[in-house]
Amino acid sequence: MTAPADLEPLAVDGGKPVRTKPLPLGPHGIDDVADEEIAAVTKVLRRRKIFRYLERTEEEGPSEAVQLEKAFRELVGCEHAIGTTGGTTALIAGLVGIGVGVGDEVIIPGYTYIATPSACLVVGAIPVIAEIDDSLTIDPDDIRRKITPQTKAIIPVDMIGLPCKMDEVMAIAGEHDLMVLEDVAQACGGQYRGRALGGIGHAGAFSLQHYKLVTSGEGGMVTTNDRDIYYRASCRHDSAMCFWDDKMDFAPFAGENFRMCDLRGALGLVQFGRLEGLLTRMRTVKRRILDRIGDLPVVRPCPINDTEGDCGTTLVLTTDSVETSKRFSEALAAEGIDNGTKHNAGFPDRHIYCYWDYVMDKHSHDASGWPWTSPLYKGSVEYSRDMCPRTLDILGRAVSIGITQRYTESDADDVARAVRKVALGVDAKGG
Ligand SMILES: *Cc1c(COP(=O)(O)O)cnc(C)c1O
């Protein structure tokens, strides 16, 4: 393990850095936008039909928003998909779809984007925050501890492309008669034990925002196999849904317009065509780095609930203490390997519950403090910034390295070389 080359002086101590050229980081799909996307969007503009429900000639073909829904049905292997204006609106429509409403508690992980609790609050539900485990996804044991008579649903979130323990989540939901809405915003195309994420729970919510794997600019998708969930979510996503779909044998209710237009559909559809290639590339790169890192002192790769199903967007390494992780991260950055920790973001990271200010402070758009103060809410949730110490500890010890489709083999080898060099160097200095 300690080949002489591994004990080169660390760049942080004045040694020669492994690389000086920045890694090819940055958002994924948007970085690949090319003539195909431009042509597809331009075609919609030239056609002067952007609204998805307009009639079209044979030559014009079906609405791009409708085609993107079909693509998601095939990806997820489900009966229904609804294009939306974003991931948050997909979550809102999905929550309404699965029957979550005022006064219901929804269990979510302490590590997810603030949009997840926000969507709960928008429909009048109360987010209940559960710990994550070493896999950086929701801890099934803590879900059990957080269940109350008010609990209606669980939102497992596949953060940074890492699949949740969906078998355990579904088993708990079955035992307690709870609904499951998967937040797949960061894991489009990911899988768990051979099943597509977004198709395991009662419904799934995807995001196609600029920073996600593939993008429609802003956009999202609700997926489900259940016709009632589909109709309920459809109603929420379009206040006139019942007029567009005359086959809807369903008593409609009021909604907001979260409809996807064909401009977004067209961009999303071309991007969707790039998804498989992106995933294959990133998974290959991640495997290459992991193979070359091997066993090391000081750091180890974060355990993954399904290695095959991981999207491969992020390599996470963990140490035994926050201090060591900080040291490791700084030394790795000095080697030319950009990396992220809970500590070096330079701003409060809204993916960590303690920075969800309006949740922590129960601050509502409504002066009454709704929904927490609603008489329909019979529970007594309390929040504090240290309520999930395990989550903070795990994230405090995690060092993440972003992976993109632009990595060459030599970029991947540099990452592995730098990780080895720093781990051995930090170890030699006493951890
Ligand atoms: C991005 C994101 C969302 C929200 O998606 P938008 O399209 O930005 O509304 C929800 N959940 C998670 C985990 C996200 O990363």
Side-chain angles (χ1 to χ4, degrees):
M1 193 184 291
T2 46
D6 286 323
L7 283 176
E8 303 163 76
L10 297 180
V12 76
D13 298 328
K16 185 170 173 291
V18 168
R19 61 184 280 146
T20 48
K21 193 169 153 235
L23 285 170
L25 299 176
H28 298 93
I30 188 70
D31 208 26
D32 281 351
V33 164
D35 290 345
E36 291 90 327
E37 278 87 347
I38 294 165
V41 173
T42 310
K43 182 179 159 214
V44 173
L45 287 170
R46 290 198 199 286
R47 190 176 70 210
R48 294 188 170 79
K49 283 184 186 171
I50 294 176
F51 186 50
R52 57 173 297 166
Y53 295 115
L54 286 172
E55 289 220 9
R56 279 149 226 272
T57 62
E58 189 90 0
E59 198 197 329
E60 285 167 343
S63 144
E64 286 78 3
V66 170
Q67 292 180 63
L68 187 58
E69 289 173 346
K70 179 164 178 277
F72 268 85
R73 287 199 302 272
E74 285 166 7
L75 173 77
V76 169
C78 67
E79 289 284 313
H80 310 282
I82 308 167
T84 65
T85 48
T88 312
T89 48
L91 284 168
I92 293 169
L95 282 167
V96 169
I98 60 172
V100 168
V102 180
D104 291 331
E105 288 183 349
V106 179
I107 299 176
I108 65 170
Y111 179 46
T112 177
Y113 189 47
I114 193 169
T116 314
S118 184
C120 298
L121 292 164
V122 165
V123 302
I126 309 293
V128 170
I129 305 170
E131 298 270 22
I132 57 165
D133 62 22
D134 286 336
S135 70
L136 306 188
T137 62
I138 197 162
D139 175 5
D141 292 333
D142 206 44
I143 295 178
R144 287 183 193 281
R145 284 190 284 270
K146 298 285 159 67
I147 292 173
T148 74
Q150 276 65 49
T151 311
K152 176 80 184 196
I154 307 165
I155 305 185
V157 186
D158 312 295
M159 283 299 278
I160 51 175
L162 300 168
C164 295
K165 296 190 169 70
M166 286 308 297
D167 281 348
E168 285 89 333
V169 172
M170 294 313 292
I172 296 169
E175 285 163 35
H176 296 268
D177 202 16
L178 305 175
M179 302 299 285
V180 175
L181 173 62
E182 295 176 68
D183 181 339
V184 206
Q186 298 195 9
C188 187
Q191 294 188 339
Y192 177 76
R193 303 202 170 154
R195 298 175 70 189
L197 298 175
I200 304 171
H202 301 92
F206 291 81
S207 169
L208 296 165
Q209 188 259 357
H210 173 98
Y211 283 105
K212 313 299 175 175
L213 255 169
V214 288
T215 185
S216 64
E218 298 278 0
M221 195 65 66
V222 183
T223 51
T224 184
N225 264 315
D226 184 293
R227 214 176 57 133
D228 280 343
I229 294 175
Y230 167 64
Y231 279 151
R232 290 180 58 86
S234 292
C235 273
R236 182 67 184 233
H237 116 294
D238 188 333
S239 57
M241 186 66 200
C242 45
F243 308 128
W244 307 122
D245 181 353
D246 54 12
K247 289 184 289 298
M248 205 165 178
D249 54 341
F250 177 79
F253 48 74
E256 290 146 284
N257 287 343
F258 298 157
R259 283 187 310 260
M260 181 178 277
C261 74
D262 284 340
L263 286 172
R264 298 181 191 204
L267 174 55
L269 203 54
V270 179
Q271 284 270 297
F272 188 89
R274 302 189 189 281
L275 178 64
E276 226 18 81
L278 283 175
L279 290 168
T280 304
R281 182 75 203 129
M282 292 185 299
R283 285 168 173 158
T284 307
V285 168
K286 185 165 174 178
R287 207 162 301 137
R288 186 178 176 97
I289 299 172
L290 284 170
D291 286 349
R292 278 161 178 68
I293 288 177
D295 283 335
L296 283 177
V298 179
V299 286
R300 63 198 160 274
C302 140
I304 300 174
N305 295 322
D306 184 328
T307 318
E308 302 292 307
D310 169 19
C311 294
T313 47
T314 319
L315 172 68
V316 182
L317 301 164
T318 332
T319 76
D320 284 334
S321 79
V322 170
E323 271 319 303
T324 309
S325 281
K326 281 186 184 171
R327 252 201 318 280
F328 180 81
S329 162
E330 280 161 22
L332 195 59
E335 299 297 338
I337 307 299
D338 269 334
N339 65 88
T341 65
K342 182 172 164 292
H343 317 283
N344 72 358
F347 53 84
D349 182 348
R350 307 296 174 193
H351 296 86
I352 309 177
Y353 78 92
C354 59
Y355 299 116
W356 301 342
D357 295 344
Y358 55 78
V359 181
M360 291 294 112
D361 301 338
K362 295 188 179 173
H363 186 248
S364 166
H365 68 280
D366 194 286
S368 73
W370 184 93
W372 289 285
T373 54
S374 165
L376 296 176
Y377 178 48
K378 309 293 185 203
S380 58
V381 76
E382 293 297 342
Y383 306 109
S384 69
R385 285 176 168 75
D386 55 6
M387 64 187 288
C388 293
R390 233 182 124 224
T391 296
L392 297 181
D393 174 57
I394 290 166
L395 294 175
R397 290 185 289 105
V399 178
S400 59
I401 301 167
I403 293 172
T404 67
Q405 70 276 22
R406 296 253 183 278
Y407 267 61
T408 60
E409 290 188 347
S410 118
D411 292 330
D413 295 350
D414 282 349
V415 171
R417 200 148 66 82
V419 167
R420 285 188 62 83
K421 178 180 168 187
V422 172
L424 295 168
V426 168
D427 186 47
K429 286 199 270 182

